[in-house]
């Protein structure tokens, strides 16, 4: 397939996507579930891709993503809650004088969220990145917990509002007053993911992959292990921070328990289902997993009666059981996930149909 | 702080440390043999607590029968998990098997939420364990007192098993070199099952001792103690049983004194800091063996 044809295909796909979003925005009621599913999907796609950059591309098994999201969400929320509602939010402890009157524009706060998360990642990275595989995993898990506990502790009452959490966080703003707020998470996620993709395609990205395949060989080829690992960790945390800020905007209210270990596991589930080492896989899987969790599989949580017969198993919590079973099945039987470590390509996409057709004709010949 | 209060805290710390030690042994043995952080171990510990509620509250069995049933059920659960979730991935990359362990942990938590609801459930009281005794001015409950003793007894028995029996020798061989021991005619799957049996049995005992003085159980109750015990195992040098025991006692003591000093919010932060500092300065832990990486 020629380059030109591929570009046309991609443009058409992009157009379809945009038209779809516009349709959703114009034609559905503001409370319709598809809207929030899509927005949440975009946010989780970003954090999944950022986790994938670390776990799938650099081979550093990190379980600290939720911690950096928490940092981003809080950094964003603290500086964007409107001044007039601050007294209401911090009604119990009051807000620290140094930040009580500081309010940042949304874009600046969004950037700040990423920068603070990246800065912390840089500091934590100095000790933690020296660890190998499972030790690294457990240390990052520990870091995420430390961050969460400190954010929610009484020590931070006047900054993070302690265990009460923050509310009145502004929702998605319209962009330059032209594009409605509905599109905000999609735009930010798309830009961030595009930056990550560019990074992966650059020489740095190739170095990351070399580290993933074999650290010792990569070092022998002249790749500076410490530098590249630190870079992957910091960049991944930067985008995790931004997605945390987006999530804060989406939810409108956060507490430190929002970002618990289960959240990291949930992001990991998205990454694993999408395929470790595939950006498109993570994006597809984020939308699929969110849609099934928040929408398609909702019925699993409600008791259902047909006549007087109660359908067995269906009750509150069953949905999450189904989810964890799916994760186990993927890990055990489809270890590569949806995409493996390949990326989406038009050849592959059209090849899918061709192969199916071939199989069909092949079957007929035998029959 | 006078001497009596100090001793009281010491006893409480040693007691919780003993429980941590028992669970840490499960982590360290599995890691020693499979090179796998069994993330599900903390949740197996939590399930053991629910089994106890089942046996004593729902079926109203006497406590000694319940104890035996809980031990058996927990061991079966552990071995079942190993067969289903870890065995098929024996030749898979390390990352896959770790994700599988996380998946099991996630599954057990969600399953517990589904079956028993997320609300805390009252843990049955074993009257004999909750009686107060007075030891030279320190008043405490029987369970606090017998926990460290039980821990020591189990550890001594376990060390005997590992150092002086044929099964123990096989275990040591498997943890030294997986493939060679297989060539020497050791049935690896049996040894791994036995490891899980021992680990889960100790988790069941630890669970009873841990939850007896606590009012309730909830589905996430196992995840934090589980992590702490893993840290204890890392601290002592993963793969080493005396190390895990020492790590367990140390973390239990530190935690109790931090709580006593009024910083209970930060006791977990401190535990994780111990882990990170330990990994930095002595990644192999107190008694761990140094393993050179082969190119």
């Amino acid at each position: 397939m020629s380059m030109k044809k591929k570009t046309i295909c991609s443009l058409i796909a992009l157009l379809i996507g945009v038209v779809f979003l516009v349709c959703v925005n114009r034609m559905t009621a503001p409370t319709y579930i598809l809207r929030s599913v899509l927005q949440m999907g975009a946010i989780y796609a970003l954090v999944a891709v950022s986790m994938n950059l670390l776990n799938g591309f650099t081979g550093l098994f990190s379980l600290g993503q939720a911690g950096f999201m928490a940092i981003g969400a809080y950094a964003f929320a603290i500086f964007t809650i409107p001044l007039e509602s601050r007294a209401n939010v911090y009604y119990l402890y009051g807000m620290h004088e140094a930040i009580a009157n500081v309010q940042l524009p949304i874009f600046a706060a969004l950037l700040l969220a990423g920068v603070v998360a990246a800065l912390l990642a840089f500091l934590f990275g100095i000790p933690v990145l020296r660890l190998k595989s499972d030790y690294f995993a457990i240390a990052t898990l520990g870091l995420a917990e430390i961050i969460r506990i400190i954010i929610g502790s009484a020590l931070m009452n006047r900054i993070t509002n302690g265990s009460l959490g923050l509310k009145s966080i502004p929702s998605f703003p319209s962009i330059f007053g032209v594009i409605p707020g509905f599109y905000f998470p999609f735009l930010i996620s798309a830009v961030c993911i595009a930056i990550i993709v560019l990074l992966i395609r650059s020489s740095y990205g190739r170095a990351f992959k070399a580290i993933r395949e074999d650290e010792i060989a990569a070092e022998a080829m002249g790749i500076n292990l410490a530098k590249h690992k630190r870079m992957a960790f910091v960049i991944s945390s930067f985008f995790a921070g931004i997605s945390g800020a987006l999530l804060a905007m989406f939810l409108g209210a956060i507490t430190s328990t929002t970002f618990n270990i289960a959240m990291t596991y949930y992001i990991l589930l998205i990454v694993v289902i999408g395929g470790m080492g595939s950006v498109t896989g993570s994006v597809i899987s984020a939308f699929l997993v969110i849609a099934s969790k928040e929408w398609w599989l909702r019925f699993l949580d409600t008791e259902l009666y047909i006549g007087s017969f109660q359908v067995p198993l269906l009750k509150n919590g069953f949905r999450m059981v189904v989810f964890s079973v799916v994760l186990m099945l993927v890990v055990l039987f489809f270890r590569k996930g949806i995409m493996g470590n390949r990326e989406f390509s038009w050849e592959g996409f059209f090849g899918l149909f061709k192969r199916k057709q071939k199989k069909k004709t092949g079957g007929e010949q035998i029959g | 702080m006078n001497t009596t209060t100090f001793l009281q805290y010491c006893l409480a710390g040693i007691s919780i440390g003993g429980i941590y030690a028992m669970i840490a042994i499960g982590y360290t043995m599995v890691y020693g043999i499979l090179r796998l952080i069994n993330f599900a171990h903390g949740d197996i510990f939590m399930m053991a607590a629910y089994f106890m509620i089942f046996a004593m509250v729902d079926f109203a069995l006497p406590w000694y029968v319940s104890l035996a049933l809980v031990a058996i059920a927990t061991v079966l659960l552990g071995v079942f998990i190993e067969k289903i979730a870890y065995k098929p991935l024996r030749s898979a990359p390390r990352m896959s098997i770790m994700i599988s362990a996380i998946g099991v942990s996630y599954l057990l938590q969600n399953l517990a939420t589904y079956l028993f609801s997320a609300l805390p459930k009252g843990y049955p009281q074993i009257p004999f364990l909750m009686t107060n005794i007075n030891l030279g001015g320190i008043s405490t409950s029987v369970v606090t007192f017998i926990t460290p003793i039980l821990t020591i007894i189990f550890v001594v028995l376990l060390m005997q098993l590992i150092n002086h029996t044929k099964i123990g020798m096989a275990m040591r061989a498997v943890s030294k070199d997986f493939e060679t021991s297989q060539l020497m005619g050791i049935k690896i799957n049996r040894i791994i099952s036995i490891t899980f049996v021992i680990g889960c049995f100790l988790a069941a005992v630890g669970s009873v001792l841990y939850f007896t003085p606590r009012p309730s159980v909830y589905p996430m109750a196992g995840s934090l103690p589980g992590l702490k015990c893993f840290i204890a195992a890392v601290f002592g040098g993963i793969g080493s049983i005396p190390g895990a025991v020492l790590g367990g006692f140390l973390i239990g003591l530190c935690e109790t004194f931090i709580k006593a000093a009024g910083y209970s919010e930060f006791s977990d932060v401190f535990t994780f800091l111990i882990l990170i500092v330990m990994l930095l300065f002595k990644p192999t832990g107190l008694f761990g063996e140094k393993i050179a990486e082969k190119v």
Side-chain angles (χ1 to χ4, degrees), chain B residues 163-263:
Chain B
N163 289 329
H164 300 290
T165 64
K166 221 171 165 189
I167 293 172
M169 195 192 272
M171 280 175 151
R172 279 180 288 150
V174 174
S175 73
K176 263 268 165 2
D177 192 328
F178 212 83
E179 272 156 21
T180 315
S181 59
Q182 228 167 351
L183 293 175
M184 297 291 155
I186 293 172
K187 292 193 180 67
I188 256 194
N189 288 325
R190 228 186 86 206
I191 297 301
I192 292 171
S193 297
I194 292 172
T195 313
F196 272 85
V197 167
I198 296 172
C200 293
F201 174 75
L202 289 177
V205 177
S207 161
V208 172
L209 296 171
Y210 182 83
F211 285 106
T212 299
R214 283 170 181 71
S216 55
V217 187
Y218 52 96
M220 303 296 276
S223 82
L224 203 61
L227 275 177
K228 276 186 209 163
C229 296
F230 178 74
I231 293 171
V234 173
F235 188 79
I238 201 125
S240 143
I241 289 169
V245 174
L246 195 73
F249 278 123
L250 243 139
I251 285 188
L253 273 174
C254 290
E255 194 189 280
T256 313
F257 278 104
I258 289 175
K259 278 185 182 158
Y263 297 108

Side-chain angles (χ1 to χ4, degrees), chain A residues 42-109:
Chain A
I43 296 166
Y44 273 91
L46 176 57
V47 68
V49 171
S50 83
M51 190 180 203
N52 211 341
L53 174 68
L54 213 51
N55 294 16
F57 286 97
T58 322
L60 292 168
F61 194 83
S62 160
L63 294 174
Q65 227 60 9
F68 293 110
M69 279 180 92
I71 294 279
Y74 268 90
F76 177 83
I78 288 168
F79 290 107
T80 52
I81 294 176
L83 290 178
E84 59 272 15
S85 45
R86 283 193 186 181
N88 197 7
V89 174
Y90 287 85
Y91 68 96
L92 204 56
Y93 309 112
M95 202 174 183
H96 198 275
E97 295 79 26
I99 50 170
N101 288 313
V102 186
Q103 193 184 12
L104 292 176
I106 295 231
F107 274 101

Side-chain angles (χ1 to χ4, degrees), chain A residues 55 61 127 130-132 134-135 138 141-142 146 149 153-154 265 276 313 315 318 320-321 324 328 335, chain B residues 31 37 85 92 94-96 98-100 102-104 106-107 110 114 227 230 238 265-266 272 279-280 293:
Chain A
N55 294 16
F61 194 83
R130 285 164 54 188
L131 306 170
K132 290 221 165 28
D134 21 12
Y135 288 115
I138 204 92
L141 190 66
I146 291 179
I149 293 168
S153 71
Y265 288 175
M276 294 279 237
L313 292 177
K315 90 176 193 203
F318 190 58
M320 290 315 290
V321 175
S324 12
M328 286 312 298
R335 215 179 302 153
Chain B
Y31 193 92
I37 301 174
R94 290 264 295 278
M95 217 188 242
S96 304
M98 200 148 81
I99 294 171
S100 181
I102 290 176
V104 174
Y106 198 49
L107 176 63
N110 288 328
Y114 171 61
L227 275 177
F230 178 74
I238 201 125
E265 271 185 319
F266 298 107
F272 284 114
L279 285 177
L280 287 181
E293 195 164 341

Side-chain angles (χ1 to χ4, degrees), chain B residues 55-94:
Chain B
M56 273 189 79
V57 180
D58 293 336
F59 291 100
L61 295 170
W63 62 270
Y64 39 88
V65 182
S66 310
L67 280 185
L69 281 180
V70 167
I72 292 168
T74 315
V75 163
L76 284 180
L77 177 70
V79 173
F80 178 72
I81 288 172
E82 195 276 320
K83 292 275 183 262
I84 296 285
Y86 303 152
K87 199 178 160 202
L89 296 173
R90 212 128 292 160
S91 56
R94 290 264 295 278

